[in-house]
Amino acid sequence: MGRAGFVSPERDRLAAAILDFIRQTDFFPSDPLAAEHRFNELALALFRYQHVYNLAYRKLCDKRGVSPDTIATWQDIPAVMTTSFKHATFFCGNADEADHVFHTSGTTLRQPGKHYLRSLEHYRASALRSFAHACLPDVNALPILVLGPTAALFPHSSLGHMFSWIVERHGRPTSAVCFSPQGIDYAEAEAWLRRHAAGREPVLILATSLALLDFVERSRTRVTLPPRGRIVDTGGYKGKRLATTRSEYRRRVAAAFGIEPEWLFNEYGMTELSSQYYETRFLDAGGKVAPPWLRTIACDPEALAPLPDGLTGVLRHFDLANIDSVLALQTEDTGYVQNSVLHLSGRDTQAEPRGCSLLTEEVLRLNL
Amino acid sequence: MPPTPNFSDLFARLANARRQSAVSAADYLAAWQQLFGDLASGRVLLPDELLERLAKSCQMPVANVRASLQTSFRGLAQPIATPDSVRHPEPVAIIAAGNIPGIAVAPAVLLASAGFPVIVKMASSDRELLPWLLQTIQTALPEETAAISAGDWPANSDDCQCLLQTAEHIVAFGSDQTITKLERDYYGKIIGFGHKFSVVYADSTKLLQQHTAALAEDCLLYSQQGCLSVQAIFVRGSLKDVRRAAAKFGNRLAARAAEIGTGRAQTARKLAALEQFDLNDTTYFAAPDHRSIVAVLERFSPELLIGDGFVQIIPIEHWRQLPAHLDKVLHWLQGLAAAMPDDESFDDLLTPCHMLGFSRVCKPGELQAPPLNWANNGINLVQHLQKR
């Protein structure tokens, strides 16, 4: 855990205002212009704070000749490449003041990136409110099966923390975690599914896409989840054993659990973000939807200049919940944004293992 | 849907055509090498429309594809010994990769010259070059005497599977993942050529400067996407001298990139790398449009194998340090161009380089022009298939 360091009063005021925004803002504001104005105000204030206290970020801003005094809107805030989290510490303060450090997936040749957080407060608030809105608007508590990382077993996994918070907040006492560094506990997961399939209460399965696919391939158990049973997957699934399309993946998973494909929800996030996109039947947007404190623009892949709505480019996210790191992140994921709905495109982004699915792949590979 | 081709019949027909032809192996080879020479010299021109379509599908500028193919043809036209005709040639399928155009041409011609019937499954991005060559060679060789046939059957189609099942040998180019999958599915048949890259060793900064034009060519042809494309230059000299040489080389690379262009698919990765360099105060020389980037690094970085005009320059004290820099990527090494002083011979370098895994060691400017019988990955294809 981090040691207490100097925290400016400015930071505390800003963090409180953003936390309030995360907790209070309507997902469908009655006054969109006012919501946009407030987002812009908070984003510029956060940039001003990060520009002062985040030295690595300040260095990049200086190289680009951008400062809080030279920009007017949140779209102008300089973005940091997510890959740069491998090479520098983006944190407002000394790194040893960070309360948590989340690691991105590394490989033999690629070192992991690190996302430093002074506290988990904003990440937790953001994750739980988004999840409840997107995935559980009809039920507050239900039995949950986790086929993915959890905080206790994977302390450096940001997804692991999110899964744990969801279980704490929404899980019935019969909820179970059947994934560990040793891999999936197939027998326990199968027994859990058989027990709960017989009931009438809807259940929730939280999983990385790769773990879910692995379970479907290896388990002989075929169950029919109770009505309104749902699955949330994240991270991509194209592993070494099977390459398939997203629709084929959905069909296989839905068939294995006896649900309609529309009850298979998808989360899109990354270690460097504190907020997430969701695509669920409840949002019914035909793409992925962000909470009001997360915005995305597509950028021209060559000049990285923002593109108009509907044009495909590399995605740049602006996440107010990233208080002590960097709020503007440039990814290499491609897609377009139309009417605030994100559509991933280009290469089959949802198929390529990302982040947590790479972690799952590593766990599954080591335990084959 | 058209019926699946009868590949057994097709292989038999191609083999018979070669066997019964009055064209000797030497004449067969000579006919092809004449064509390659004509293409290299410009006496025969690839149609502009073909080049444009090829460039588009391979995501490279037309000028780059033209220059790259001309260089490759120059290499293929170099005189080689005629391979011994094989007594019982077995059917060979070649799976072409899509990273660079024309990748199947050399193995197809070499194997056919030895009597092997060859069917090439072309990459979806390169469907026209080989058919055009086969059509053009007909002026010198009667139909089917070429003993090569080509099709663009999709990778997972029944047609493709039928081809691969029928063939006795499969020469496969592609990603490491593709090769691994093929080796599993067609156990014992695969001669695989996966991901590889090339480097340069320049004995001194002076030599690096003398060879800037040739080295720029080695780096930029095929938009740095081929296995013989140079990704890193190891230079013997002080950091200060190397930086100076890198600046000069960066200018030359930018000038050549402006002439023939580079692909744009890796721009986001290039910009990410520049951000990393800004953070680390790494010295780099980037063209204003980022078509070419030269970075001076303390150590070779596998993460920065980017392509599309991105070159690492690493100062070293002696070529014997190469293994220490490349130890994580030894399985990916392909070619090494060496700029040695006149009073030293390649012999000093050849054996250690081959032991390290380099299968092509040559002078700057020659990397991307291997001869027709180049033992890619150290494999003499004709001999290898005969022994199996």
Side-chain angles (χ1 to χ4, degrees), chain B residues 193-271:
Chain B
F193 300 98
H195 180 69
K196 298 273 178 183
F197 71 94
S198 296
V199 303
V200 167
Y201 169 67
D203 180 78
S204 70
T205 51
K206 187 179 166 197
L207 279 171
L208 175 65
Q209 293 184 25
Q210 282 172 358
H211 293 282
T212 48
L215 289 174
E217 216 69 2
D218 283 337
C219 294
L220 292 177
L221 293 182
Y222 293 112
S223 198
Q224 220 183 5
Q225 300 297 317
C227 63
L228 289 169
S229 297
V230 168
Q231 303 281 345
I233 302 176
F234 294 89
V235 183
R236 189 171 169 176
S238 70
L239 184 61
K240 188 180 169 190
D241 288 344
V242 171
R243 279 189 180 139
R244 196 176 302 138
K248 186 176 177 190
F249 181 65
N251 286 338
R252 184 69 191 95
L253 199 69
R256 186 59 176 146
E259 287 168 4
I260 64 170
T262 56
R264 304 300 269 169
Q266 303 300 329
T267 306
R269 284 189 68 199
K270 286 187 195 171
L271 294 174

Side-chain angles (χ1 to χ4, degrees), chain B residues 63-311:
Chain B
N64 192 307
V65 175
R66 183 182 284 117
S68 303
L69 288 174
Q70 270 191 323
T71 300
S72 290
F73 290 138
R74 173 165 60 83
L76 297 179
Q78 294 172 71
I80 61 165
T82 308
D84 293 336
S85 291
V86 179
R87 197 167 294 171
H88 302 291
E90 294 176 315
V92 180
I94 298 179
I95 302 177
N99 57 326
I100 63 169
I103 200 165
V105 172
V109 170
L110 183 71
L111 290 171
S113 72
F116 289 97
V118 177
I119 300 180
V120 178
K121 189 209 94 61
M122 296 180 292
S124 57
S125 57
D126 180 16
R127 293 172 170 166
E128 295 186 66
L129 180 60
L130 186 55
W132 184 87
L133 290 171
L134 289 170
Q135 192 181 19
T136 307
I137 198 71
Q138 278 183 24
T139 56
L141 294 172
E143 193 174 1
E144 289 213 339
T145 303
I148 300 168
S149 181
D152 57 356
W153 310 282
N156 294 317
S157 65
D158 290 345
D159 290 353
C160 184
Q161 286 183 19
C162 182
L163 167 64
L164 301 184
Q165 281 160 6
T166 307
E168 289 294 328
H169 310 284
I170 301 169
V171 177
F173 296 89
S175 67
D176 292 350
Q177 204 177 357
T178 301
I179 302 299
T180 303
K181 186 175 184 306
L182 284 167
E183 283 171 341
R184 194 182 57 217
D185 294 348
Y186 299 94
Y187 181 74
K189 282 188 177 186
I190 304 294
I191 303 107
F193 300 98
H195 180 69
K196 298 273 178 183
F197 71 94
S198 296
V199 303
V200 167
Y201 169 67
D203 180 78
S204 70
T205 51
K206 187 179 166 197
L207 279 171
L208 175 65
Q209 293 184 25
Q210 282 172 358
H211 293 282
T212 48
L215 289 174
E217 216 69 2
D218 283 337
C219 294
L220 292 177
L221 293 182
Y222 293 112
S223 198
Q224 220 183 5
Q225 300 297 317
C227 63
L228 289 169
S229 297
V230 168
Q231 303 281 345
I233 302 176
F234 294 89
V235 183
R236 189 171 169 176
S238 70
L239 184 61
K240 188 180 169 190
D241 288 344
V242 171
R243 279 189 180 139
R244 196 176 302 138
K248 186 176 177 190
F249 181 65
N251 286 338
R252 184 69 191 95
L253 199 69
R256 186 59 176 146
E259 287 168 4
I260 64 170
T262 56
R264 304 300 269 169
Q266 303 300 329
T267 306
R269 284 189 68 199
K270 286 187 195 171
L271 294 174
L274 292 188
E275 190 169 286
Q276 175 191 334
F277 298 155
D278 283 340
L279 285 164
N280 300 340
D281 296 321
T282 299
T283 303
Y284 66 85
F285 307 92
D289 58 1
H290 303 122
R291 279 200 188 275
S292 67
I293 293 170
V294 174
V296 182
L297 306 177
E298 286 179 19
R299 287 198 59 80
F300 169 76
S301 169
E303 289 196 36
L304 295 174
L305 292 171
I306 292 175
D308 287 353
F310 191 102
V311 181

